[in-house]
């Protein structure tokens, strides 16, 4: 069961920033946080509820980027017309994150901050060259995905920082994301996209501690066997290291084949 | 059928519990909280096997809101154990712990939060003992003993009567074999030696399973002066009452067990589980105590037996089975619970519904330092049929005979005995097989890497026939039915209402059904083995007949009619010159007031139609078509066909639901579900990592065929449903995967990695 905690429900971001510290943490969908609290893995003394701050749920487009508020749920992202118009691959991925309850409750920001290595979004957003905006009373920081995600369940977010939004540079890359998923989370997930600059980029997720990014000038430069050699999966209930390496190769080839054919 | 012969039965009526459950209004045990209730949290063992040195509860007792910390020491003057076959199960670990997760102490507090916090502060000092974590470890020479003492096996005849042959007297030689059964006839060795072909499947592994019910085990108990009231998630409230009465040395009449709607059972809620814990909590504190387990605790309370099975079958050149030789070892965990019966049933069901002139089955249920195993939907049938049915397909290929034809040649026919001296088969499996294979082949894709598999089982179902029912006719002609059979989602409330309405000729809406309260309803031995429609249904028919007879007697008395001139009529009786009098009028005239009622009583025991065991055979007839992705090993189920050979479908839609539910649950063990131990504890004691089937796993084509030949002993020729379609599912899927890959699986679940390893001849992963 949940340990005791205080709950505050601020109406704006500044108020949130004044409250955050090592012991008082942001709370949105709760799909990761509350489970960790129930299991006794996290015991914060206070939660700051972000759900009543409309600004955190906004999705907007500028000339240079699509900006997604960190408090937008997976469903909200998948249904938003700007995302549907400009990032159809993100729509496809968001429609298949977790399960129906996770998609309706869980937020894109919570997903990234939890940095679960088997997150679809970590891999896809790395493929998109997305950046995250962190804010604290000390100021703003913008980090690339690779700078933000430091390891499993470990990000560069400081205890007093709030993840405000995710920005995907425009035009958004197109391509494919494929995954093998037997339980709640993928065993391997691979994104293959062609960037606006014409580069081919493959990101392997779930099977590695942090997403593995490989790029080349053409799809022929993507060496599936070379990627397999680079991943060092661990054997666990989802599969042996041997099998995970094997399917990494299978899914890299599948993702590249789909992207080459011009999937979304 | 031309004119419908029945008014109410045989129609797909709306479930009685539908609206309540859909709107969330339905009350489950977990919703019940008497005023003044305390909340309990269990302190559980952190070792698989260890001496209990000392329990230090002072810190926990000093915490705010904590009322009591109950340990074995506190209840030693009670009868501190339970178990309906072997009373080996300590309510709270005594002397030693036998598995990780075993209850060691019970913290009772004003709130669940206080109890949970305090539970973490109870210091338990252990001295670790060597543990046996698998059946192989447990059977090794000089293996550590899980139980150092042996307890007397229940002399209840109902237990031995359900095993095909009397089991050996309990051998008190100390080893880890909890129970052993042998079954057989003829000369197996001679038949094997002279056969045209002998086909073996060795080391066929069936996983440990968890019967995932949405409502975990929970109970609230109130112990007052010589009276214990318990509201819990028990499938068999009357059997739980017996265990509780023994613990507190109370008359059965002073123990009341009530079961509201059950949020799923699947056998896992058979017999006593958390009721003694809540009850000793209340006994110790004098206040109502509520205990609700979470999923992890539920998994550490009961699981299904894992098994390793060897099967050899001898054939004549034309495919006739000459002999079968089967050995099964079940890992039953730390306590016997129902595993002795599971292994007996596993033996009865292991060779399939085939003519086997020479048979030898040896089954052993083995104690290990793991979560205790007990009943699970199908009761030992899936474990055996997985090995036995693959064995038949393998043989069909070697003999060059179509696998359906091979089965056809060997299937037991209607009326023929499967077990000598037991009831003959009350089904036509050859005809059922035609329907099954016809449907599968009609829609077969014949694509590369796809395969069709089908399998058949016959289970000696119904359990021991002791059922009673009461009907109470009211002054307005409406009817109250009382039954001790639990509504756990299977739809018994609707089926019993239909039977009463049919028998008494009243509108369905005028019938109410009350179930599962040992203080007020009629006795029912169990709700399991698919028995309710058949046995409770028979008892209810007899109760209705009794009520009609009483109404006739009363009408004869008040109207001065000769009793032999009175005929039954819908909703009442017909007197001379076809004069109709409704039940309500009979009651009011007899009592001389607008008051009173008629109670009809129906009893079922081993007599007449239910003399022969089993009460009926529950057949499983299922098939699937799968496709396998060669580079990943992922299995996609494209077709699912089930044949419900139920004699007569009282509520056809409910029968379809039972078969689809059972088959889908069976897909779990075939493709996803497996509890995995690593060291003393489970790696996946939760439903995130223990993967149960989901909507997306359900095949695009589902064909649930109902066959009605009126060949059961139940009402209108009905037999039970509910377990049948699960039993052969593992086998059917494994056979289909075998056909798709060209390699016979030796282990389930067939996860993508296992199938990939099978395809590439790589060794098993663990």
């Amino acid at each position: 069961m949940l340990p005791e905690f205080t709950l505050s429900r601020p109406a704006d971001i500044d108020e949130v920033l004044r409250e955050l510290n090592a012991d008082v943490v942001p709370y949105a969908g709760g799909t990761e946080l509350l489970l960790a609290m129930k299991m006794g893995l996290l015991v914060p003394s206070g939660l700051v509820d972000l759900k009543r701050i409309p600004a955190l749920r906004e999705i907007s487009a500028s000339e240079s980027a699509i900006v997604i508020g960190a408090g937008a749920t997976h469903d909200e992202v998948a249904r938003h017309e700007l995302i549907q118009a400009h990032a159809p691959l993100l729509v496809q991925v968001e429609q298949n994150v977790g399960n129906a309850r996770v998609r309706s409750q869980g937020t894109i920001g919570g997903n990234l901050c939890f940095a679960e290595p088997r997150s679809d979004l970590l891999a896809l957003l790395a493929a998109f060259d997305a950046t995250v905006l962190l804010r604290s009373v000390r100021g703003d920081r913008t980090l690339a995905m690779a700078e933000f995600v430091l390891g499993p369940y470990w990000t560069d977010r400081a205890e007093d920082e709030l993840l405000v939004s995710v920005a995907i540079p425009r035009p958004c890359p197109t391509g494919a994301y494929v995954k093998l998923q037997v339980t709640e989370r993928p065993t391997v997930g691979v994104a293959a996209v062609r960037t606006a600059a014409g580069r081919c980029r493959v990101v392997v997720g779930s099977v590695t501690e942090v997403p593995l990014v490989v790029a080349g000038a053409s799809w022929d430069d993507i060496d599936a066997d070379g990627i397999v050699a680079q991943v060092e999966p661990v054997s666990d209930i989802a599969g042996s290291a041997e099998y995970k390496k094997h399917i990494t190769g299978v899914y890299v080839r599948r993702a590249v084949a789909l992207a080459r054919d011009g999937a979304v | 059928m031309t004119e419908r012969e029945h008014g109410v039965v045989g129609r797909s009526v709306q479930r009685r519990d539908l609206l309540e459950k859909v709107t969330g209004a339905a009350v489950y045990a977990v919703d019940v909280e008497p005023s003044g209730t305390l909340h309990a949290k269990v302190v559980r063992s952190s070792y698989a096997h260890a001496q209990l040195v000392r329990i230090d509860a002072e810190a926990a007792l000093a915490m705010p809101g904590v009322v009591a910390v109950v340990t074995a020491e506190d209840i030693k003057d009670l009868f501190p154990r339970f178990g309906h076959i072997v009373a080996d199960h300590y309510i709270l670990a005594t002397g030693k712990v036998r598995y990780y997760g075993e209850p060691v102490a019970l913290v009772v507090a004003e709130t669940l939060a206080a109890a949970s916090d305090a539970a973490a502060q109870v210091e338990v000092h252990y001295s670790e003992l060597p543990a046996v974590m698998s059946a192989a470890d447990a059977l090794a020479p000089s293996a550590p003993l899980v139980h150092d003492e042996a307890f007397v096996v229940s002399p209840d005849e109902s237990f031995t009567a359900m095993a095909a042959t009397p089991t050996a007297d309990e051998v008190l030689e100390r080893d880890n074999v909890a129970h052993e059964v042998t079954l057989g006839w003829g000369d197996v060795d001679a038949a094997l030696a002279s056969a045209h072909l002998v086909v073996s499947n060795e080391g066929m592994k069936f996983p440990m399973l968890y019967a995932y019910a949405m409502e975990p085990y929970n109970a609230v108990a109130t112990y007052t002066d010589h009276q214990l009231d318990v509201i819990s998630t028990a499938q068999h409230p009357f059997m739980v009452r017996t265990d509780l009465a023994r613990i507190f040395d109370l008359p059965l009449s002073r123990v009341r067990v009530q079961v509201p709607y059950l949020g799923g059972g699947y056998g896992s809620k058979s017999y006593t589980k958390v009721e003694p814990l809540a009850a000793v909590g209340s006994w110790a504190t004098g206040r109502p105590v509520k205990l609700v387990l979470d999923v992890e605790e539920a998994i550490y309370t009961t699981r299904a037996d894992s098994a390793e099975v060897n099967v050899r079958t001898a054939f004549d050149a034309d495919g006739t089975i000459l002999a079968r030789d089967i050995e099964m070892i079940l890992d039953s965990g730390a306590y016997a619970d129902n595993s002795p019966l599971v292994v007996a049933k596993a033996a009865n069901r292991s060779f399939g519904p085939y003519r086997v002139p020479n048979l030898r089955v040896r089954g052993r249920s083995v104690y290990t330092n793991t979560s205790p195993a007990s009943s699970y939907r199908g009761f030992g049938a899936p474990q055996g049929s997985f090995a036995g049915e693959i064995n038949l397909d393998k043989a069909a290929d070697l003999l060059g005979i179509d696998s359906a034809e091979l089965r056809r040649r060997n299937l037991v026919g209607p009326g023929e005995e499967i077990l000598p001296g037991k009831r003959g088969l009350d089904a036509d499996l050859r005809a059922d097989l035609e329907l099954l294979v016809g449907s599968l082949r009609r829609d077969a894709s014949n694509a590369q890497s796809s395969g069709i598999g089908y399998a058949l089982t016959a289970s000696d179902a119904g359990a021991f026939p002791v059922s009673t029912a009461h009907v109470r006719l009211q002054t307005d002609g409406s009817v109250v039915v009382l039954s001790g059979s639990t509504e756990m989602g299977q739809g018994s409330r609707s089926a019993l209402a239909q039977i009463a309405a049919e028998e008494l000729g009243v509108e369905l809406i005028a019938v109410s059904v009350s179930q599962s309260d040992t203080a007020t309803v009629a006795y029912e031995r169990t709700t399991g083995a698919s028995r309710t429609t058949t046995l409770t249904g028979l008892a209810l028919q007899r109760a209705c007949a009794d009520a009609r007879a009483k109404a006739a007697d009363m009408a004869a008395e008040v109207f001065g009619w000769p009793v032999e001139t009175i005929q039954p009529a819908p909703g009442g009786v017909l007197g001379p010159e076809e004069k109709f009098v409704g039940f309500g009028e009979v009651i009011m005239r007899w009592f001389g007031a607008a008051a009173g009622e008629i109670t009809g009583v129906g009893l079922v025991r081993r007599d007449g139609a239910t003399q022969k065991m089993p009460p009926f055979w529950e057949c499983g007839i299922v098939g699937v078509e799968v496709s396998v992705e060669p580079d990943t090993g992922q299995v996609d189920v494209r077709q699912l066909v089930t044949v419900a050979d139920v004699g007569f479908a009282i509520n056809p839609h409910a029968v379809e639901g039972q078969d689809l539910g059972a088959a889908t649950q069976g897909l779990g063990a075939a493709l996803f579900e497996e509890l995995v131990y690593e060291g003393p504890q489970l790696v996946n004691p939760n439903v995130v990592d223990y993967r149960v089937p989901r909507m997306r796993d359900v095949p695009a084509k589902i064909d649930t065929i109902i066959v009605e030949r009126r060949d059961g002993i139940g009402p209108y020729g009905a037999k039970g449903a509910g377990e049948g379609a699960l039993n052969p599912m593992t086998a059917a899927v494994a056979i289909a995967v075998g056909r798709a890959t060209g390699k016979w699986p030796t282990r389930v679940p067939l996860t993508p990695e296992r199938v990939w390893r099978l395809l590439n001849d790589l060794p098993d992963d663990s």
Side-chain angles (χ1 to χ4, degrees):
Chain A
M1 63 180 301
L2 280 175
E4 280 186 29
F5 57 87
T6 60
L7 178 68
S8 69
R9 288 174 160 168
D12 63 51
I13 292 174
D14 288 344
E15 212 179 317
V16 174
L17 300 181
R18 285 195 295 273
E19 293 194 38
L20 293 183
N21 60 50
D23 217 22
V24 177
V25 302
Y27 154 61
T31 60
E32 308 275 17
L33 175 66
L34 297 185
L35 285 184
M37 288 171 66
K38 280 181 184 172
M39 293 171 78
L41 299 173
L42 294 175
V43 194
S45 68
L47 302 189
V48 182
D49 186 352
L50 308 177
K51 291 197 291 291
R52 300 182 180 207
I53 305 172
L56 281 175
R57 301 177 90 123
E58 273 172 22
I59 296 174
S60 60
S62 69
E63 257 183 43
S64 61
I66 303 283
V67 179
I68 303 169
T73 65
H74 301 294
D75 269 346
E76 285 167 354
V77 174
R79 287 177 187 172
H80 200 279
E81 56 185 19
L82 279 175
I83 308 295
Q84 291 181 345
H86 299 289
L89 183 52
L90 178 58
V91 173
Q92 196 186 76
V93 169
E94 286 284 38
Q95 283 170 339
N96 290 288
V97 163
N99 55 50
R101 285 174 299 168
V102 166
R103 292 191 292 272
S104 67
Q105 288 270 111
T107 63
I108 190 166
N111 186 293
L112 298 185
C113 287
F114 201 73
E116 153 68 59
R118 293 166 297 171
S119 155
D120 299 305
L121 289 174
L122 285 193
L124 184 72
L125 292 173
F128 280 180
D129 239 347
T131 57
V132 295
L133 174 63
L134 295 165
R135 182 169 294 162
S136 70
V137 289
R138 297 173 288 119
D140 283 2
R141 290 198 295 153
T142 298
L143 299 178
M145 287 298 293
E147 297 168 317
F148 176 64
V149 181
L150 302 177
Y153 312 104
W154 181 29
T155 68
D156 194 46
R157 185 183 73 85
E159 284 153 353
D160 64 345
E161 279 182 315
L162 178 70
L163 174 61
V164 174
S165 60
V166 181
I168 302 170
R170 288 183 65 184
C172 296
T174 58
Y177 179 82
V178 289
K179 61 177 171 176
L180 174 72
Q181 185 169 337
V182 178
T183 58
E184 286 287 304
R185 295 194 169 93
T187 306
V188 63
V190 181
V193 299
R194 188 182 283 280
T195 65
R199 298 272 294 167
C200 295
R201 187 185 291 138
V202 168
V203 181
V204 177
S206 297
V207 80
T208 50
E209 293 198 335
V210 294
L212 171 71
V213 183
V214 177
S218 82
W219 291 119
D220 294 333
D221 294 339
I222 305 296
D223 170 16
D225 293 332
I227 291 172
V228 171
Q230 279 187 67
V231 298
E232 291 174 354
V234 290
S235 295
D236 59 21
I237 195 157
S240 67
E242 183 188 10
Y243 179 67
K244 288 180 180 178
K245 279 180 97 75
H246 166 74
I247 55 164
T248 299
V250 172
Y251 278 81
V252 167
R253 288 186 190 91
R254 283 187 190 180
V256 168
L258 284 168
R260 200 193 283 271
D261 289 349
V264 299
Chain B
M1 244 177 279
T2 48
E3 271 312 276
R4 223 179 32 225
E5 356 169 7
H6 301 294
V8 189
V9 296
R11 282 195 295 146
S12 293
V13 303
Q14 180 177 306
R15 293 178 64 103
R16 287 269 155 148
D17 49 356
L18 182 73
L19 289 177
E20 275 180 276
K21 285 183 175 171
V22 169
T23 59
V27 172
Y28 296 83
V30 76
D31 299 316
V32 181
E33 193 174 318
S35 69
T37 293
L38 295 171
H39 298 268
K41 183 75 184 174
V42 181
V43 179
R44 293 176 182 277
S45 167
S46 43
Y47 289 88
H49 196 196
Q51 290 292 337
L52 273 172
V53 176
R54 188 163 49 86
I55 300 172
D56 188 350
E58 265 178 46
L61 277 167
M63 291 177 69
V66 175
V67 177
V69 178
V70 185
T71 67
E73 181 62 22
D74 302 309
I75 59 170
K76 64 178 194 299
D77 293 336
L78 302 173
F79 184 88
R81 292 179 274 124
F82 63 93
H84 62 288
I85 298 174
V86 186
D88 65 349
H89 207 143
Y90 284 99
I91 300 168
L92 289 162
T94 302
K96 71 176 191 177
V97 291
R98 292 178 176 80
Y99 71 98
Y100 176 97
E102 177 165 10
V104 170
L106 186 77
V107 178
V108 184
E110 297 289 344
T111 64
L112 181 55
S116 299
D117 287 350
Q121 300 306 316
V122 174
E123 284 179 41
V124 185
H125 302 270
Y126 300 93
S127 169
E128 194 172 1
L129 295 168
V132 285
M133 298 308 296
S134 68
D137 287 353
L139 291 173
S142 67
L145 291 177
V146 179
H147 289 270
D148 309 273
E149 57 205 323
F151 297 105
V152 178
V153 172
S154 160
D156 187 348
E157 189 246 353
S158 63
F159 167 59
T160 48
M162 283 192 283
T165 52
T167 53
D169 259 350
E170 297 327 297
V171 185
L172 294 183
E173 182 191 327
R174 296 286 186 273
D175 61 21
N176 285 319
V177 177
H179 198 71
E180 177 162 355
V181 289
T182 54
L183 172 69
W185 46 79
D187 187 340
V188 171
D189 292 320
L192 288 167
S194 63
H196 168 75
L197 176 71
V198 176
V199 181
S200 302
N201 290 77
E202 306 275 326
M204 303 291 282
K205 292 192 182 71
F206 189 90
M208 281 183 193
L209 298 175
Y210 168 54
Y212 174 49
M214 286 178 74
E215 184 190 23
Y217 301 110
N218 68 87
V220 57
T222 308
Y223 191 98
T224 52
D225 184 31
H226 284 90
Q227 172 78 30
L228 174 61
D229 292 337
V230 174
I231 297 163
S232 86
T233 48
Q235 288 181 220
H236 315 336
F238 285 91
M239 291 192 87
V240 172
R241 181 181 67 157
T242 306
D243 267 330
L244 292 173
R246 179 169 55 180
I247 291 165
F248 297 100
D249 193 23
L250 287 171
L252 290 175
S253 62
R254 302 302 300 272
V255 178
R256 180 181 189 181
V257 180
Q258 291 170 266
V259 182
Y261 283 133
L262 205 57
Y266 316 112
S268 72
K269 290 171 180 164
S270 309
Y271 312 106
T272 305
K273 304 293 178 198
V274 294
E275 295 85 357
L277 283 167
V280 299
S282 178
W283 173 82
T285 60
R287 285 171 61 182
V289 169
K290 188 169 180 70
L291 174 63
V292 182
L293 303 193
D294 60 26
V295 167
E296 177 165 347
E297 291 179 293
I299 290 174
Y300 281 118
T301 300
T302 311
R303 61 171 174 88
D305 293 80
S306 55
E308 187 163 339
V309 181
N310 299 327
V311 55
R312 278 192 299 170
T313 310
F315 295 91
D316 216 340
D318 69 356
T320 304
I321 294 175
L322 301 175
R324 298 197 95 172
D325 187 12
I326 297 163
E327 181 169 20
M328 9 185 29
I329 295 173
L330 273 60
D331 179 341
S332 300
Y335 291 98
D337 202 309
N338 209 36
S339 286
L341 191 54
V342 173
V343 73
K345 293 289 187 186
N348 293 353
R349 298 163 181 185
S350 64
F351 54 94
Y354 305 105
R355 293 188 193 116
V356 182
N358 301 285
L359 178 73
R360 178 167 59 213
V361 184
R362 182 188 188 202
R364 280 177 288 171
S365 155
V366 179
Y367 285 128
T368 61
N369 293 114
T370 61
S371 167
S374 186
S375 318
Y376 175 92
R377 198 175 195 170
F379 237 86
Q383 287 92 329
S385 80
F386 163 54
E389 291 287 294
I390 283 195
N391 181 257
L392 290 188
D393 264 63
K394 186 177 170 186
D397 287 7
L398 293 169
L399 289 159
I401 300 173
D402 172 79
S403 65
E405 177 56 26
L406 181 70
R407 285 178 172 78
R408 209 175 285 126
R409 286 182 196 175
N410 289 288
L411 277 170
V412 166
E416 229 177 292
E417 284 178 353
I418 294 175
L419 289 166
K422 301 284 175 179
R423 182 180 301 279
L425 181 63
D426 46 1
D428 186 347
L429 288 174
R430 285 192 205 103
D432 296 341
L433 179 64
E434 298 313 308
L435 292 169
L436 178 76
V437 175
S439 177
L440 286 165
R441 291 188 177 159
R442 187 176 63 238
D443 297 315
S445 69
N446 297 316
Q448 225 185 353
S449 303
S450 71
I452 283 177
Y454 37 84
L456 293 96
T457 54
S459 293
D460 43 339
F464 194 77
V466 176
S467 290
T468 74
H470 296 173
V471 287
R472 295 163 52 200
L473 310 187
Q474 305 300 297
T475 51
D476 61 354
S478 65
V479 176
V480 177
V481 174
L482 302 180
S483 162
S485 179
T486 302
E487 171 59 78
M488 50 188 189
Q490 83 280 45
S492 62
R493 190 157 299 184
S494 306
L496 295 176
Q498 283 178 278
I499 292 169
E502 181 76 34
E503 294 298 308
L504 296 168
V506 300
E507 293 291 319
L508 186 58
I509 198 153
V511 181
S512 79
V513 181
S514 290
Q515 295 170 275
S516 296
D517 175 348
T518 61
T520 59
V521 303
Y523 182 91
E524 175 61 59
R525 188 173 180 278
T526 60
T527 307
S530 307
R531 70 192 255 130
T532 299
T533 299
T534 308
L535 297 180
T536 314
L538 269 183
L540 180 55
Q541 274 190 313
R542 291 173 187 176
C544 292
D546 184 45
R548 286 196 309 262
K550 282 175 174 159
D553 286 346
M554 290 157 97
E557 187 184 328
V558 296
F559 296 111
W561 295 336
V563 73
E564 63 276 6
T565 64
I566 300 175
Q567 301 294 318
V573 296
L574 279 185
E577 290 160 26
E578 309 243 309
K579 181 176 164 38
F580 175 80
V581 188
F583 292 128
E585 193 184 342
V586 173
I587 292 166
M588 291 188 283
R589 294 288 287 263
W590 194 88
F591 281 96
E597 68 177 11
I598 296 173
T599 302
V601 175
L603 307 176
V604 169
R605 59 174 175 159
R606 275 198 71 188
D607 186 34
T610 47
Q611 168 61 37
K612 269 211 158 181
M613 292 288 280
F616 60 95
W617 287 93
E618 184 175 6
C619 295
I621 306 119
V622 304
V624 294
E625 182 186 17
V626 305
S627 63
V628 172
E629 212 175 71
D631 50 359
T632 63
Q634 288 190 93
V635 176
D636 179 37
V637 182
R638 310 163 68 113
Q639 287 195 65
L640 167 67
V641 182
T642 60
V643 180
D645 187 326
V646 293
F648 177 72
I650 287 169
N651 185 346
H653 193 62
V655 171
E656 287 171 358
Q658 282 294 301
D659 263 22
L660 180 55
T664 306
Q665 194 164 22
L667 270 184
L671 295 176
F672 318 111
E673 295 183 37
E674 179 172 29
L675 290 171
V676 179
Y677 266 95
E678 205 173 275
Q681 55 177 304
L682 288 163
V683 184
N684 57 345
N686 57 68
V687 280
V688 172
D689 296 315
Y690 180 85
R691 161 79 149 87
V692 296
R694 303 181 190 141
M695 280 309 290
R696 283 189 190 182
D697 302 318
V698 176
K701 175 191 159 179
I702 296 168
D703 189 5
T704 49
I705 301 167
I706 296 179
V707 176
E708 298 177 288
R709 300 191 189 95
R710 308 271 184 147
D711 43 11
I713 57 152
Y716 327 106
K719 296 172 284 187
E723 293 184 1
L726 179 139
N727 295 337
M729 267 307 280
T730 310
V733 173
I735 290 168
V737 169
R739 296 258 164 232
T741 59
K743 314 231 165 127
W744 297 116
T746 58
R747 185 170 189 182
V748 285
L750 289 161
T751 59
E753 177 164 359
R754 289 223 175 99
V755 175
W756 174 72
R757 287 181 176 277
L758 188 69
L759 277 162
N760 292 285
D761 295 317
L762 293 167
D764 195 23
D765 51 319
S766 50

